[in-house]
Amino acid sequence: MYYPDEVIEEVRMKNDIVDVISGYVKLQKKGANYFGLCPFHNEKSPSFSVSPGKQMYYCFGCGAGGNVLTFVMEYENYTFQEALQSLADRAGVALPKMEYGREAREQAEFRARLLEVNKLAANYFYFQMKNNPHGRAGYEYFHDKRGLTDETILRFGLGYANKTSDDLYRFLKEKGYEDAFLKETGLVTIEERGGRDKFWNRVMFPIIDIRGEVIGFGGRVMDDSTPKYLNSPDTPVYNKSRNVFALNIAKKSKAGRVILTEGYMDTISLHQAGFDSAVASLGTSLTPEHAQLLSRYFPEAIIAYDGDGAGVSAAQRAIPLLERAGMKVRVLRITGAKDPDEFIKQYGRDAFLRLLDQSENQVDYRLEQIRKKYDLSDDSQKVGFLQEAAQLLSSLPSAVEREIYGRHAAETAGVSPEAVAQEVKKAFQ
């Protein structure tokens, strides 16, 4: 699959690189070029240069560089064809129809049908909740119990899957979809007696990718049955390890920091309260792919997981992944509530904003989690704390960090910084 060189060049020439990148990065003119903070790695001093004369960009910090097409591909995680189409739409250039080989054409058509049926399903779930008396339970859950406004419900496309376990199947069959195809969508199960919906008697959360396409669903049960949350299986358009809930909205935020939550409702509640950079992973722990994706849009991450054991463990796993992706990481310590949604309901938006601003450095957070495992009034346990803390400190990349946080550990244990430094030195060996 390819476009003629002259078409690619027309799209490139009609999209000034400074104008395009200015929509993503704050640029300041210095001499003939423009400079800003690099969107591809974490930095405090601008080393990202854009040349209007050459129509190129280059980062002196991480070495990222290229033209306007390269930038859109890297920033938006687009394929070349997707980046070209996006810039062509921006410039009003009509791209010629591409010629596909048979296999490529069949794959493209299959993906298009999957996206089409997912959009139909999302509209169906929303319609059922808003217009069908049976869907009233779903609306009452979102609006009355969880305090979501109609505007928020519409913005996230929330809906309801009826108690009848073949409602969606029958609806899609009426639209002309055959069983063999529906079996591949992750929406229904085909049995000898017919189709059965994967989601029923659940409030529904459409999962929308960064391009605005509905790629899957999450559903929360309305009774005490299990599992409490059910998610779409992986399909050719959906992979839970590579997509993030609400990133399609959060990527437009000017906050400069992404707020990581444990679930759909925490994320949605934060957005309703004005924190438009909140996201959640999809029924799985944060993955390296998630971290890389988030780092394209944000230099900093604040982990706002629940304060229980599972939340602490999830935060501990997420921290190194985010740091390896080049992000600055902080951890929110929620007190007086079990999660961000409950905290905002009890104490309000301003209190949560203060909590965000007071979120602690990830090293101090991890040292505190280690401290909780030991009784520091006991000398033998104090030694255990210092040895485990030294293992953590030895993993820090710079000597300055090791010294600063070594002092913190020393103060916690009531020993000299020199003693901690010796333990860290031994941990290196």
Side-chain angles (χ1 to χ4, degrees):
M1 300 185 295
Y2 70 93
Y3 288 104
D5 289 343
E6 58 269 22
V7 172
I8 297 172
E9 185 63 12
E10 181 185 6
V11 172
R12 190 181 70 81
M13 292 299 293
K14 288 188 175 181
N15 282 277
D16 179 74
I17 194 167
V18 175
D19 289 343
V20 172
I21 293 181
S22 291
Y24 300 92
V25 179
K26 184 178 180 180
L27 298 175
Q28 288 187 330
K29 189 174 183 181
K30 293 183 180 179
N33 295 334
Y34 290 78
F35 287 84
L37 294 175
C38 180
F40 304 118
H41 81 288
N42 187 25
E43 63 178 10
K44 295 181 180 180
S45 300
S47 63
F48 182 79
S49 170
V50 183
S51 169
K54 297 179 181 178
Q55 287 293 297
M56 301 288 285
Y57 69 92
Y58 182 75
C59 176
F60 295 95
C62 69
N67 61 23
V68 68
L69 280 160
T70 312
F71 180 86
V72 173
M73 287 173 64
E74 289 296 316
Y75 193 95
E76 296 287 5
N77 199 26
Y78 282 176
T79 64
F80 176 80
Q81 286 79 16
E82 289 168 337
L84 188 68
Q85 184 67 64
S86 174
L87 290 171
D89 292 343
R90 182 181 184 275
V93 176
L95 294 178
K97 294 293 183 182
M98 294 181 64
E99 291 296 326
Y100 289 85
R102 179 181 175 183
E103 184 178 351
R105 183 174 64 252
E106 289 176 350
Q107 290 177 351
E109 290 173 351
F110 183 67
R111 285 177 57 87
R113 288 193 84 196
L114 284 175
L115 295 174
E116 177 186 75
V117 79
N118 281 340
K119 186 175 182 180
L120 268 175
N123 289 334
Y124 182 77
F125 292 139
Y126 179 79
F127 180 87
Q128 293 302 308
M129 186 177 71
K130 294 292 286 186
N131 298 281
N132 190 326
H134 297 294
R136 184 69 190 177
Y139 181 77
E140 288 175 350
Y141 173 80
F142 284 130
H143 186 271
D144 301 345
K145 185 175 181 179
R146 304 309 297 260
L148 299 184
T149 65
D150 286 357
E151 180 183 2
T152 298
I153 290 171
L154 178 61
R155 187 182 191 193
F156 285 89
L158 307 179
Y160 175 72
N162 287 336
K163 287 185 177 181
T164 308
S165 63
D166 64 349
D167 269 23
L168 180 63
Y169 171 73
R170 288 186 285 108
F171 170 74
L172 294 176
K173 287 290 287 184
E174 290 172 3
K175 294 294 182 180
Y177 293 99
E178 64 278 6
D179 284 357
F181 170 73
L182 290 176
K183 186 178 180 180
E184 303 297 321
T185 65
L187 292 168
V188 302
T189 302
I190 304 300
E191 303 171 343
E192 288 186 11
R193 298 180 180 179
R196 179 183 176 87
D197 295 346
K198 180 178 179 66
F199 301 100
W200 52 280
N201 193 30
R202 291 176 182 270
V203 287
M204 299 300 296
F205 302 84
I207 299 163
I208 301 172
D209 68 9
I210 57 175
R211 303 166 186 83
E213 301 281 5
V214 180
I215 57 174
F217 295 89
R220 186 194 188 282
V221 74
M222 295 295 291
D223 54 29
D224 295 328
S225 58
T226 56
K228 182 178 179 181
Y229 279 95
L230 188 64
N231 294 289
S232 291
D234 285 356
T235 70
V237 298
Y238 173 66
N239 185 309
K240 63 179 177 292
S241 296
R242 297 176 183 172
N243 290 279
V244 177
F245 181 71
L247 186 57
N248 60 306
I249 300 174
K251 71 174 187 175
K252 303 170 187 175
S253 173
K254 304 299 182 184
R257 58 190 184 189
V258 65
I259 305 171
L260 287 172
T261 78
E262 282 195 85
Y264 305 127
M265 279 307 308
D266 278 337
T267 291
I268 294 170
S269 295
L270 286 175
H271 277 263
Q272 181 167 282
F275 301 99
D276 63 353
S277 65
V279 302
S281 53
L282 298 164
T284 184
S285 298
L286 197 79
T287 66
E289 291 87 353
H290 290 147
Q292 286 294 334
L293 181 59
L294 293 173
S295 71
R296 296 181 187 277
Y297 301 96
F298 300 96
E300 179 179 350
I302 296 180
I303 299 174
Y305 292 166
D306 295 356
D308 58 12
V312 171
S313 296
Q316 297 269 32
R317 290 192 299 269
I319 287 168
L321 297 178
L322 294 165
E323 287 212 310
R324 280 197 289 272
M327 302 181 77
K328 178 181 177 182
V329 185
R330 303 181 70 84
V331 183
L332 192 72
R333 187 171 299 195
I334 299 174
T335 55
K338 66 180 179 65
D339 55 37
D341 179 29
E342 184 178 287
F343 186 92
I344 289 175
K345 284 183 171 63
Q346 289 188 21
Y347 305 105
R349 179 190 186 281
D350 290 345
F352 188 78
L353 180 59
R354 288 193 295 272
L355 208 62
L356 284 176
D357 292 338
Q358 295 165 5
S359 55
E360 61 186 334
N361 181 283
Q362 62 89 3
V363 182
D364 281 330
Y365 171 81
R366 293 163 82 183
L367 284 172
E368 174 61 15
Q369 299 310 313
I370 295 172
R371 186 200 64 78
K372 289 179 179 179
K373 296 159 60 175
Y374 296 92
D375 177 5
L376 298 187
S377 65
D378 182 288
D379 286 344
S380 63
Q381 292 206 39
K382 186 181 293 186
V383 172
F385 163 74
L386 289 171
Q387 289 175 337
E388 188 171 347
Q391 291 294 327
L392 168 61
L393 295 170
S394 69
S395 70
L396 300 180
S398 78
V400 173
E401 285 184 299
R402 293 193 291 272
E403 181 177 342
I404 290 172
Y405 295 110
R407 285 201 206 101
H408 293 188
E411 290 172 6
T412 299
V415 299
S416 70
E418 291 75 20
V420 175
Q422 287 296 318
E423 285 296 325
V424 173
K425 186 176 180 180
K426 282 197 293 185
F428 272 118
Q429 298 171 353

